[in-house]
Amino acid sequence: MNLLSRLFRKKTVVSKTVDIIAPISGSIIDITNVPDEVFSKKIVGDGIAIQPTGKRIVAPITGTIGKIFPTMHAFSILSIEGIEIFVHFGIDTIFLKGNGFKKIIKKEKKVNVGEIILEYNLKFLKKNAKSVITPIIISNSEKIQRIKKYSGKVISGVTPIMKITQK
């Protein structure tokens, strides 16, 4: 390629897309319907929420587990593409002090999509938490160009819930 053609060559920008897989089984609900303004007003980021069924939370992406709260109600994970996801089981579940949850994976561990992170007792949590609706948030939205959100019933470790297009 000569110098002139290199100067006028059109630069193509390739956006990278990443599928986020359901960390829990259940039904997707709109993030604006979560009964907590921190999530419904997207203060901590955008995403979706799931009305859960089942008994486990799995890795929604391949990456590294960041923080797992001592109360085991929430954790963060950083994908190999640099997408940070925050999974927060229920509303006001922090006040249960870990009751109803069992940690399976340690923080800073590399995981693949579908690996079990936490187990939970849905019957206990429905009885003792304000809500079991579980937000799944993209917390570093400044790196995201677009979020395509899906709807319907989902199976943990199998069903895509969002498609992220990175900047």
Side-chain angles (χ1 to χ4, degrees):
M1 189 182 297
N2 67 30
L3 178 62
L4 192 57
S5 60
R6 278 189 280 176
L7 288 172
F8 291 102
R9 186 173 49 169
K10 190 175 182 180
K11 291 201 176 206
T12 49
V13 176
V14 179
S15 296
K16 184 165 188 155
T17 61
V18 179
D19 284 325
I20 309 301
I21 305 302
I24 57 175
S25 295
S27 297
I28 294 176
I29 63 170
D30 191 288
I31 196 71
T32 60
N33 293 326
V34 173
D36 185 322
E37 287 188 355
V38 169
F39 298 109
S40 65
K41 294 193 186 261
K42 303 178 186 179
I43 293 168
V44 293
D46 198 1
I48 59 101
I50 296 176
Q51 181 69 50
T53 59
K55 60 181 180 178
R56 61 180 55 111
I57 304 174
V58 303
I61 51 175
T62 296
T64 304
I65 299 296
K67 180 177 180 78
I68 297 179
F69 284 70
T71 52
M72 295 176 283
H73 74 289
F75 68 91
S76 65
I77 182 169
L78 182 64
S79 78
I80 56 177
E81 300 85 6
I83 298 168
E84 190 172 62
I85 297 177
F86 181 60
V87 178
H88 189 283
F89 189 98
I91 305 302
D92 290 348
T93 46
I94 191 169
F95 300 118
L96 299 176
K97 299 179 181 170
N99 291 315
F101 297 98
K102 179 181 177 188
K103 182 168 53 171
I104 305 298
I105 296 268
K106 295 178 180 167
K107 71 177 185 172
E108 298 176 12
K109 180 168 185 330
K110 293 186 186 307
V111 293
N112 293 311
V113 171
E115 271 189 70
I116 300 171
I117 310 295
L118 299 166
E119 291 181 342
Y120 60 88
N121 180 327
L122 186 58
K123 186 176 179 181
F124 172 84
L125 293 167
K126 279 183 173 181
K127 184 177 177 183
N128 293 287
K130 177 179 176 182
S131 170
V132 293
I133 291 173
T134 301
I136 298 97
I137 304 296
I138 308 301
S139 53
N140 61 343
S141 57
E142 70 280 357
K143 294 185 176 185
I144 306 304
Q145 181 179 346
R146 182 172 179 261
I147 301 175
K148 179 181 180 182
K149 301 175 186 181
Y150 298 106
S151 60
K153 293 192 182 301
V154 294
I155 300 169
S156 67
V158 176
T159 314
I161 57 171
M162 293 182 275
K163 182 179 283 294
I164 307 300
T165 303
Q166 293 178 286
K167 291 182 179 176

